[in-house]
Amino acid sequence: MSLKSINLLFSIDNNFFEQLKTTLYSLRANTPNTFFRVFVLQEKQFSWKNEFKSFCSALNMTYEPLILGTSRFKYAPINKRYPKTIYYRLLAQEYLPKDIKKVLYLDADILCINNISAFYSLDLKNHLYAAASHSQLTNFTTVVNKVRLQNYETEQYYNSGVLLINVTQARRHIKYKDIYAFIQKKSATLLLPDQDILNSLYGNHILPLPDQIYNLDARKNLIYEMISNGTWNLDWIIKNTVFLHFCGKEKPWEENSKGKFVVLYKHYAHLANLTVVENN
């Protein structure tokens, strides 16, 4: 019997090797009996490509780099927190192999803690993406973003860290020229650049997901518990949440990071490194 196959997509620079390993190990640990194709959008080949290829092979995954070159998004606003790589996911459909019809994009600061098979099998119909909003954590932010981006029809402001992408539809409807024109017009007002583009141009074509399951903000576990009248507590999260997203400036791999789920992240990071040792 052949294994079920899941396509994964990441967009990182040369500095995120360890974080990517941790995310992938968590996916493998919680979604067994599955073959993963791991596509990584990048400007050029990474210095650690051979080591990463071996790591993926040990987890029954294949590493398939997608090389964009340096010309794409050279005009887009960037800074230390938001490098050029954040934009690449918007054009993934142009670089993925022609046989790919669906792909799951994940930020490299995400930890998987439950099986993703049911989520990946979600029927996207004609939607471009499935994504979650953190609007239930603060409705005020959603209103501000609607005014700032002048996009009043979109119900929510979606987080771009977890995107189930309908590649077939994206090839038909997402055009580089539209993204380029938007950035040229709005570059001075883009705060979360790739998310602003995603929501402004394609927000009406996104299938909404519950963030407490598919994109839980790891900083806000107490708020989740409060707004659910105690239902979404730590036990519920461990049993039901699929993706923990370590949003914000403070990251769980940093030496002095704090938070309810940091020790869980560090545990998966440790196991990911053991995988490399055991297979050398």
Side-chain angles (χ1 to χ4, degrees), residues 72-120:
R72 284 291 173 96
F73 297 109
K74 62 183 180 181
Y75 53 85
I78 61 173
N79 56 44
K80 185 176 181 180
R81 187 177 176 190
Y82 301 113
K84 193 170 14 174
T85 52
I86 64 171
Y87 297 98
Y88 294 168
R89 75 200 76 178
L90 299 171
L91 294 180
Q93 61 279 352
E94 294 186 11
Y95 295 90
L96 287 163
K98 296 301 181 184
D99 65 302
I100 301 298
K101 296 179 173 58
K102 179 191 287 186
V103 70
L104 173 60
Y105 170 85
L106 296 172
D107 279 351
D109 59 355
I110 281 174
L111 199 65
C112 173
I113 62 171
N114 277 295
N115 196 302
I116 71 168
S117 296
F119 172 50
Y120 190 80

Side-chain angles (χ1 to χ4, degrees), residues 173-233:
H173 299 291
I174 299 178
K175 306 299 179 184
Y176 176 74
K177 62 181 180 62
D178 296 332
I179 296 171
Y180 175 83
F182 181 84
I183 294 176
Q184 291 291 93
K185 182 179 180 181
K186 298 282 190 177
S187 60
T189 61
L190 298 180
L191 298 181
L192 302 169
D194 63 305
Q195 283 186 183
D196 287 350
I197 296 168
L198 177 77
N199 283 274
S200 295
L201 295 182
Y202 311 114
N204 294 327
H205 304 283
I206 296 177
L207 180 66
L209 301 171
D211 60 311
Q212 69 272 16
I213 298 177
Y214 297 115
N215 195 335
L216 186 137
D217 187 334
R219 302 168 297 179
K220 308 290 182 63
N221 62 289
L222 292 178
I223 298 178
Y224 281 108
E225 186 169 352
M226 181 183 68
I227 63 178
S228 67
N229 292 320
T231 298
W232 302 336
N233 57 22

